[in-house]
Amino acid sequence: MKANIAKFLNRLTTFKLSHITPGLKTITYKQAIHLSHVIKTDIPIWPNDPPVEFENVAELDKDGYYLRRFSIGEHSATHINAPNSFHPGSIGIDQYSAESLIIPAIVINISNKVIDNYDYILSINDLKDWEKLYGKIPKDSIVLISTGWENKWEDKQAFFNIDKLGEMHFPGIGKDATEFLLQHRHIAGIGIDTHGIDAAQDKTFISNYLVLEKPRIVLENLTNLSQLPPKGTTLIIGILRLENGSGSPVGVIALVS
């Protein structure tokens, strides 16, 4: 497992760059876009996860400076899942190298298919349809799935889409498509604008399990994916290096070339 982890972290540094001088890597971009939601106390929280809390511990008029304490679950807000969240003995979020968190990305937009089917599962056919238009999904890239769900973020009921039986409904990626991406396209990971890369109706979290087993990267609750082109984006993922963390809220910035 440790050998595979080291190989994975090294491979993620091989994305397309301009080499001006030996050893110097550059990224050229026209636009920088936040892909993370603002963290507030009333954001959608997964059932039974801890709430987001802020507490003032220093005030300008009394202490000369302003400071807060905050509390948030490791898998809340826009966040990354670490392999140890599904695989005992695997790495925590603090063990990701800096280089492994700078990744080229492609965007697959399925928002039109989700309108009439909240439980839509992204399939291999969706991947093949994207490739017909834009070419083969690049190795060592992260696949971002834009469902339009980011627009529901401010409405908890709409975001989790809970029915009368208490069941959530939101789209995700299917097992077959996940296996195809990992085995045949050798991707670096998957990201989505819902609360999980697995659709809400999948209680096994199979896509999370498969991606993190390799291990690769899982990003959830992303926003502004609709502003990204299908190709030509590099992600910079800012993690909190929580010791042995099962994940971390993240600040994700997209650099669009």
Side-chain angles (χ1 to χ4, degrees):
M1 173 65 77
K2 290 184 177 179
N4 290 337
I5 292 169
K7 184 179 179 182
F8 160 69
L9 297 179
N10 288 332
R11 282 177 56 203
L12 285 184
T13 66
T14 62
F15 56 86
K16 187 176 181 181
L17 297 168
S18 300
H19 293 268
I20 298 175
T21 58
L24 178 64
K25 299 177 180 179
T26 64
I27 302 173
T28 58
Y29 64 97
K30 297 177 181 177
Q31 187 179 17
I33 299 173
H34 278 298
L35 300 189
S36 297
H37 288 285
V38 175
I39 298 176
K40 302 183 292 185
T41 56
D42 60 347
I43 63 173
I45 298 293
W46 192 263
N48 299 319
D49 275 10
V52 177
E53 297 177 332
F54 293 96
E55 179 187 359
N56 288 5
V57 296
E59 301 286 356
L60 276 170
D61 58 355
K62 183 175 67 174
D63 304 292
Y65 63 95
Y66 172 52
L67 174 66
R68 295 188 300 179
R69 174 190 295 116
F70 69 91
S71 175
I72 187 172
E74 291 179 326
H75 293 207
S76 293
T78 303
H79 62 273
I80 184 173
N81 298 341
N84 65 356
S85 62
F86 284 91
H87 300 281
S90 193
I91 65 170
I93 197 62
D94 56 310
Q95 296 179 56
Y96 279 69
S97 70
E99 291 84 358
S100 70
L101 299 170
I102 305 174
I103 317 172
I106 65 115
V107 179
I108 299 177
N109 191 318
I110 59 169
S111 58
N112 62 326
K113 298 184 178 182
V114 169
I115 295 173
D116 297 320
N117 183 1
Y118 292 148
D119 296 317
Y120 188 81
I121 303 294
L122 185 137
S123 67
I124 294 177
N125 286 336
D126 291 312
L127 301 177
K128 295 294 183 65
D129 287 343
W130 188 94
E131 291 189 327
K132 289 175 183 177
L133 294 172
Y134 307 108
K136 187 176 180 179
I137 294 171
K139 177 182 177 182
D140 295 327
S141 63
I142 188 163
V143 175
L144 302 179
I145 305 168
S146 177
T147 72
W149 223 252
E150 61 190 51
N151 299 320
K152 303 176 185 287
W153 181 254
E154 297 295 334
D155 183 339
K156 297 177 187 178
Q157 173 59 37
F159 193 77
F160 286 118
N161 198 21
I162 300 174
D163 63 22
K164 294 180 180 179
L165 299 178
E167 293 288 329
M168 293 186 290
H169 298 270
F170 56 76
I173 183 171
K175 176 177 181 287
D176 291 345
T178 300
E179 290 179 330
F180 175 84
L181 288 170
L182 292 171
Q183 297 172 12
H184 300 286
R185 295 298 180 263
H186 307 288
I187 60 165
I190 297 172
I192 199 166
D193 53 6
T194 69
H195 214 302
I197 64 170
D198 298 282
Q201 291 295 292
D202 183 357
K203 303 301 192 296
T204 68
F205 303 108
I206 185 60
S207 290
N208 254 288
Y209 184 91
L210 291 170
V211 175
L212 295 173
E213 182 180 33
K214 289 300 181 180
R216 298 291 186 268
I217 285 174
V218 171
L219 294 172
E220 297 172 331
N221 287 342
L222 292 164
T223 190
N224 294 330
L225 295 185
S226 59
Q227 297 183 33
L228 303 182
K231 299 174 65 175
T233 296
T234 298
L235 301 190
I236 299 178
I237 306 168
I239 63 171
L240 297 175
R241 299 190 70 193
L242 307 170
E243 184 176 15
N244 202 38
S246 69
S248 163
V250 288
V252 183
I253 294 177
L255 302 178
V256 182
S257 60

mmCIF file of all heavy atoms in Angstrom, residues 28 95 114 122 146 151 154 156 169 210 235 245 254:
data_model
loop_
_atom_site.group_PDB
_atom_site.id
_atom_site.type_symbol
_atom_site.label_atom_id
_atom_site.label_comp_id
_atom_site.label_asym_id
_atom_site.label_seq_id
_atom_site.Cartn_x
_atom_site.Cartn_y
_atom_site.Cartn_z
ATOM 1 N N THR A 28 0.399 28.514 -16.940
ATOM 2 C CA THR A 28 -0.139 29.749 -17.499
ATOM 3 C C THR A 28 -1.660 29.692 -17.432
ATOM 4 O O THR A 28 -2.266 28.654 -17.685
ATOM 5 C CB THR A 28 0.304 29.932 -18.963
ATOM 6 O OG1 THR A 28 -0.135 28.813 -19.735
ATOM 7 C CG2 THR A 28 1.823 30.037 -19.046
ATOM 8 N N GLN A 95 -0.828 13.349 4.978
ATOM 9 C CA GLN A 95 0.264 12.698 4.265
ATOM 10 C C GLN A 95 0.277 12.982 2.757
ATOM 11 O O GLN A 95 1.129 12.469 2.038
ATOM 12 C CB GLN A 95 0.207 11.186 4.518
ATOM 13 C CG GLN A 95 0.426 10.833 5.982
ATOM 14 C CD GLN A 95 0.334 9.344 6.230
ATOM 15 O OE1 GLN A 95 1.061 8.555 5.610
ATOM 16 N NE2 GLN A 95 -0.552 8.942 7.127
ATOM 17 N N VAL A 114 -29.906 15.738 -15.309
ATOM 18 C CA VAL A 114 -30.330 15.684 -13.909
ATOM 19 C C VAL A 114 -31.678 16.359 -13.698
ATOM 20 O O VAL A 114 -32.387 16.059 -12.738
ATOM 21 C CB VAL A 114 -29.242 16.356 -13.031
ATOM 22 C CG1 VAL A 114 -29.726 16.580 -11.620
ATOM 23 C CG2 VAL A 114 -27.979 15.506 -13.035
ATOM 24 N N LEU A 122 -23.980 8.866 -13.530
ATOM 25 C CA LEU A 122 -23.086 9.047 -14.667
ATOM 26 C C LEU A 122 -22.532 7.698 -15.086
ATOM 27 O O LEU A 122 -22.040 6.921 -14.267
ATOM 28 C CB LEU A 122 -21.950 10.002 -14.299
ATOM 29 C CG LEU A 122 -20.999 10.364 -15.443
ATOM 30 C CD1 LEU A 122 -20.673 11.854 -15.420
ATOM 31 C CD2 LEU A 122 -19.724 9.554 -15.386
ATOM 32 N N SER A 146 -20.111 18.156 -13.265
ATOM 33 C CA SER A 146 -20.960 19.325 -13.036
ATOM 34 C C SER A 146 -22.417 18.917 -13.231
ATOM 35 O O SER A 146 -22.840 18.599 -14.340
ATOM 36 C CB SER A 146 -20.583 20.449 -14.007
ATOM 37 O OG SER A 146 -21.428 21.556 -13.853
ATOM 38 N N ASN A 151 -26.212 25.128 -7.405
ATOM 39 C CA ASN A 151 -27.232 26.182 -7.312
ATOM 40 C C ASN A 151 -28.233 25.943 -6.185
ATOM 41 O O ASN A 151 -29.017 26.838 -5.850
ATOM 42 C CB ASN A 151 -27.982 26.300 -8.643
ATOM 43 C CG ASN A 151 -27.058 26.677 -9.782
ATOM 44 O OD1 ASN A 151 -26.165 27.504 -9.623
ATOM 45 N ND2 ASN A 151 -27.249 26.056 -10.938
ATOM 46 N N GLU A 154 -27.751 26.977 -1.059
ATOM 47 C CA GLU A 154 -28.343 27.856 -0.046
ATOM 48 C C GLU A 154 -29.679 27.340 0.489
ATOM 49 O O GLU A 154 -30.250 27.932 1.413
ATOM 50 C CB GLU A 154 -28.535 29.267 -0.612
ATOM 51 C CG GLU A 154 -27.240 29.963 -1.013
ATOM 52 C CD GLU A 154 -26.322 30.238 0.170
ATOM 53 O OE1 GLU A 154 -26.842 30.357 1.308
ATOM 54 O OE2 GLU A 154 -25.101 30.330 -0.025
ATOM 55 N N LYS A 156 -31.088 23.969 2.079
ATOM 56 C CA LYS A 156 -30.718 22.640 2.569
ATOM 57 C C LYS A 156 -31.680 21.557 2.089
ATOM 58 O O LYS A 156 -31.265 20.453 1.728
ATOM 59 C CB LYS A 156 -30.678 22.640 4.101
ATOM 60 C CG LYS A 156 -29.636 23.560 4.701
ATOM 61 C CD LYS A 156 -29.731 23.544 6.217
ATOM 62 C CE LYS A 156 -28.808 24.577 6.828
ATOM 63 N NZ LYS A 156 -28.917 24.617 8.316
ATOM 64 N N HIS A 169 -32.016 12.368 -2.400
ATOM 65 C CA HIS A 169 -31.927 12.141 -3.836
ATOM 66 C C HIS A 169 -31.013 13.200 -4.454
ATOM 67 O O HIS A 169 -31.334 14.383 -4.469
ATOM 68 C CB HIS A 169 -33.307 12.217 -4.485
ATOM 69 C CG HIS A 169 -34.266 11.186 -3.997
ATOM 70 N ND1 HIS A 169 -34.393 9.944 -4.579
ATOM 71 C CD2 HIS A 169 -35.129 11.209 -2.956
ATOM 72 C CE1 HIS A 169 -35.304 9.249 -3.924
ATOM 73 N NE2 HIS A 169 -35.770 10.003 -2.938
ATOM 74 N N LEU A 210 -13.714 2.805 -4.164
ATOM 75 C CA LEU A 210 -12.817 2.422 -5.252
ATOM 76 C C LEU A 210 -11.741 3.482 -5.512
ATOM 77 O O LEU A 210 -10.570 3.160 -5.709
ATOM 78 C CB LEU A 210 -13.621 2.187 -6.527
ATOM 79 C CG LEU A 210 -14.538 0.961 -6.527
ATOM 80 C CD1 LEU A 210 -15.451 0.982 -7.749
ATOM 81 C CD2 LEU A 210 -13.719 -0.325 -6.497
ATOM 82 N N LEU A 235 -6.225 22.529 -11.101
ATOM 83 C CA LEU A 235 -6.713 22.749 -9.743
ATOM 84 C C LEU A 235 -5.555 22.875 -8.755
ATOM 85 O O LEU A 235 -4.566 22.137 -8.848
ATOM 86 C CB LEU A 235 -7.605 21.597 -9.277
ATOM 87 C CG LEU A 235 -8.859 21.275 -10.066
ATOM 88 C CD1 LEU A 235 -9.697 20.257 -9.280
ATOM 89 C CD2 LEU A 235 -9.666 22.513 -10.369
ATOM 90 N N GLY A 245 -6.098 12.865 9.541
ATOM 91 C CA GLY A 245 -7.456 13.279 9.210
ATOM 92 C C GLY A 245 -8.107 12.384 8.176
ATOM 93 O O GLY A 245 -7.474 11.942 7.219
ATOM 94 N N ALA A 254 -9.408 27.029 -9.221
ATOM 95 C CA ALA A 254 -9.243 26.578 -10.599
ATOM 96 C C ALA A 254 -8.501 27.644 -11.385
ATOM 97 O O ALA A 254 -8.907 28.815 -11.398
ATOM 98 C CB ALA A 254 -10.596 26.301 -11.233
#
